[in-house]
Amino acid sequence: MLGVTDLPTYLVGLVLIVLLPGPNSLYVLSVAARRGIRNGYRAAAGVWCGDAVLMTLSAAGVASLLQANALLFSIVKYAGAGYLTWLAFGMLRAAWQMWRTRRDRGGSEEAVAPVAEERPFRRALVISLFNPKAILFFVAFFVQFVDPGYAYPAVSFVVLGAFAQLASFLYLSALIFGGTKLAAAFRRRRRLSAGATSAAGALFLGFAVKLSLASSV
């Protein structure tokens, strides 16, 4: 179909890959839990735009360039790790503030004030783009299902990318609506909110370390 081979196997692999936790899905869940459905979808839109850019770059051969150029890969890799680290410390700082004011019922407005300046779409977009392993993944995974004899390989990449975006849409939508259910509990229990924010910050630190240790091969 349009140069795509073994579509059922691709779909099974795609679902398994989408369900793996990562910084993109964790950030969307965090935004939905803290700021509601609308902002959750703004963050998700940033992820989808970022993924679309990465898929386009992969189809254009940028992934191969990153894989062949160790210096370029390292620059992108450490920039991405640094950004994730910055996000992680921001979450941990917010969690510490929540913990300090956990007994102050009247301080809830103060606790959310710093979050009000957050731009979910832009932040999610940057998180998605600063991930060289994602670029390499797209080209390594997609190329297995593109018929080398097909005259229009770009069309094959578009078809594969469309299925990937559909799977991402369904998964992130589930996270967004699940996250809003957590929001009420977070508002009632400051300790729970502080603990969840701390866990998210720790996970982002883990993602930063994992990315900084990644290789291009």
Side-chain angles (χ1 to χ4, degrees):
M1 181 185 74
L2 298 176
V4 177
T5 63
D6 202 1
L7 182 60
T9 301
Y10 169 76
L11 294 178
V12 171
L14 180 63
V15 170
L16 294 177
I17 291 166
V18 167
L19 291 178
L20 289 175
N24 292 346
S25 57
L26 178 62
Y27 180 68
V28 171
L29 176 61
S30 172
V31 170
R34 291 181 287 110
R35 304 190 59 188
I37 292 176
R38 179 176 297 180
N39 284 291
Y41 271 108
R42 286 177 180 169
V47 172
W48 297 326
C49 288
D51 285 349
V53 171
L54 294 184
M55 293 175 195
T56 302
L57 292 176
S58 297
V62 174
S64 299
L65 177 62
L66 274 178
Q67 198 166 19
N69 191 319
L71 177 60
L72 180 60
F73 180 85
S74 295
I75 291 173
V76 177
K77 177 179 71 171
Y78 288 119
Y83 186 72
L84 291 179
T85 301
W86 179 74
L87 288 180
F89 278 107
M91 291 180 178
L92 293 174
R93 185 169 58 250
W96 173 245
Q97 184 65 25
M98 292 177 195
W99 180 258
R100 290 180 60 188
T101 60
R102 65 189 183 280
R103 292 189 177 88
D104 182 9
R105 294 176 180 267
S108 58
E109 294 299 324
E110 281 185 31
V112 298
V115 180
E117 300 179 1
E118 182 180 3
R119 293 178 173 83
F121 175 85
R122 186 176 68 179
R123 183 164 292 186
L125 177 64
V126 175
I127 292 173
S128 180
L129 290 177
F130 274 107
N131 191 351
K133 297 300 288 186
I135 304 176
L136 301 182
F137 156 74
F138 280 126
V139 74
F141 187 64
F142 280 14
V143 74
Q144 300 178 50
F145 302 95
V146 175
D147 183 359
Y150 188 64
Y152 306 101
V155 175
S156 304
F157 273 93
V158 169
V159 172
L160 295 172
F163 279 114
Q165 292 287 48
L166 176 60
S168 178
F169 173 80
L170 296 175
Y171 177 57
L172 292 183
S173 294
L175 290 183
I176 288 169
F177 284 98
T180 55
K181 292 183 179 180
L182 296 175
F186 287 166
R187 284 193 293 266
R188 290 195 305 267
R189 300 182 181 181
R190 189 66 60 80
R191 288 184 179 182
L192 177 61
S193 181
T197 305
S198 298
L203 283 173
F204 266 79
L205 274 179
F207 290 135
V209 172
K210 182 179 180 181
L211 179 57
S212 65
L213 296 176
S215 65
S216 61
V217 294

